[in-house]
Amino acid sequence: MIKKCLFPVAGYGTRFLPATKAMPKEILPILDKPLVQYGVEEAFAAGLTDIGFVTGRGKRAIEDHFDTSYELEHQIAGTGKEKMLEGIRELIEHCTFSYTRQVKMSGLGDAILAGRTVIGDEPFAVVLADDLCMGPDDGVLAQMVKLFKQFRCSIVAIEEVPQDETNKYGVISGEELSENLFRVTDMVEKPDPEDAPSNLAIIGRYILTPDIFDIIEQTPPGKNGEVQITDALLQQAKDGCVIAYKFKGRRFDCGSVQGFVEATNYCYENIYLKK
Ligand code: G1P
C-alpha cells in the first residue's frame, strides 16, 4: 500500500565538522554501519521498497553505498567477510533507489517538495536519518504504516521531551484519541519553552498524504526563514486530519555528538555483543 520512502539528505551536517567536511553525515557509522542504512533497513522492514533520496552536492557516497561494488565483491568472494555485506546486499536486491537534488537549501518542507518527482501522487513515508530509532519489535515506520491503514491521513511520530528542549523540535498539541494517539490541533516549529503548546516533540518519522505537496507550495517561509513541514502539516490538520503517534521504542538524536555516542553504546551493547 505505502511503498515509497523519502530521505532528505541534502543537509551539510555542520554540527559534525570537521568529520562531515568531505563526507556526508549520513555515512558516519554507528559501529560498522552508516547511519542512513539503519533508516533504509527500518523502511524495508515496514514494506517500503521504493527509496528516494533528496540529495545535494558532496553526497555521492550515499549513491555508491546503495549500489554493488564489483571490485569489492570480487575481492572478498569466498571469504568470511562476505557475511558483513549481507544486510546491504539484501537492501540492494529488494529495493530501488532514486535520487533527486535539492538545489537550494530552504528547509525541510522545501526538501520534501523537491521529492515530489520521485513520489508522485501517493502516500509516502519520510525518514530523517539523523534520528536513529530502535523499536522493541516492530520498527517505528512499521508501527506507523499499520496506523495509516486505520486513519488514512498524515501521521507524525512524537515523543515527550524535557520542556526546555522544545526549541529543537516541531511541537504538537492535540485531542487524545486513545493511549499514545492524538488528533493534532496545533503544531509549532521550534517554539521557545514558554510558547510551546506541549512537550510532545515531532521526531524524524512521517507518513504524508500527497496533497501535502500542494500545501507546501502555498506555505510561506516560517521559523528561520525556511519552509517548514510543520507549518504545512498544521494546515493539513486544519483542513482534514493529522495524527500524532507516541511510538514504541527508543530514538537517538544522532545529529548531536551526545546522541551519536549514546546510539553507539546502545548498539554495541544490544546488537554487537549479541551477534
Ligand atoms: C526537523 C523538523 C522538526 C522535527 C525534527 C525532528 O528539524 O523541522 O519539526 O521536530 O526535524 O528531528 P531539524 O532537526 O531538521 O532542525
Side-chain angles (χ1 to χ4, degrees), residues 108 128 131 168-170 189-190 202-204 206 228-230 251:
L108 181 56
L128 307 184
D131 279 335
K168 297 200 315 205
Y169 303 93
E189 179 67 9
K190 303 195 174 84
I202 302 169
I203 61 116
Y206 305 78
Q228 300 295 346
I229 189 65
T230 306
R251 164 245 175 206

Side-chain angles (χ1 to χ4, degrees), residues 61-123:
I62 298 175
E63 293 176 48
D64 288 338
H65 187 72
F66 293 103
D67 191 6
T68 302
S69 166
Y70 288 100
E71 297 85 343
L72 184 62
E73 294 286 341
H74 177 73
Q75 193 72 31
I76 66 169
T79 75
K81 289 189 176 146
E82 275 195 292
K83 70 173 184 334
M84 298 170 90
L85 288 184
E86 274 169 8
I88 185 69
R89 275 180 181 165
E90 193 185 11
L91 295 178
I92 293 169
E93 191 181 329
H94 296 286
C95 299
T96 60
F97 300 91
S98 313
Y99 301 86
T100 188
R101 280 201 180 203
Q102 185 182 8
V103 179
K104 186 166 70 77
M105 291 324 165
S106 37
L108 181 56
D110 186 65
I112 292 173
L113 184 58
R116 187 175 204 165
T117 45
V118 296
I119 298 298
D121 191 24
E122 52 188 285

Side-chain angles (χ1 to χ4, degrees), residues 187-261:
M187 215 178 221
V188 189
E189 179 67 9
K190 303 195 174 84
D192 289 333
E194 56 274 23
D195 301 326
S198 76
N199 69 335
L200 297 172
I202 302 169
I203 61 116
R205 299 290 182 278
Y206 305 78
I207 288 182
L208 302 174
T209 52
D211 54 310
I212 198 73
F213 293 124
D214 283 345
I215 301 175
I216 298 171
E217 274 181 338
Q218 302 299 322
T219 301
K223 190 83 183 184
N224 302 328
E226 297 181 328
V227 178
Q228 300 295 346
I229 189 65
T230 306
D231 297 338
L233 277 163
L234 177 59
Q235 192 56 48
Q236 207 179 33
K238 284 181 178 161
D239 294 345
C241 180
V242 171
I243 297 291
Y245 169 57
K246 226 195 253 182
F247 66 96
K248 296 189 182 66
R250 279 195 68 173
R251 164 245 175 206
F252 299 93
D253 172 16
C254 294
S256 74
V257 172
Q258 188 189 333
F260 198 92
V261 171

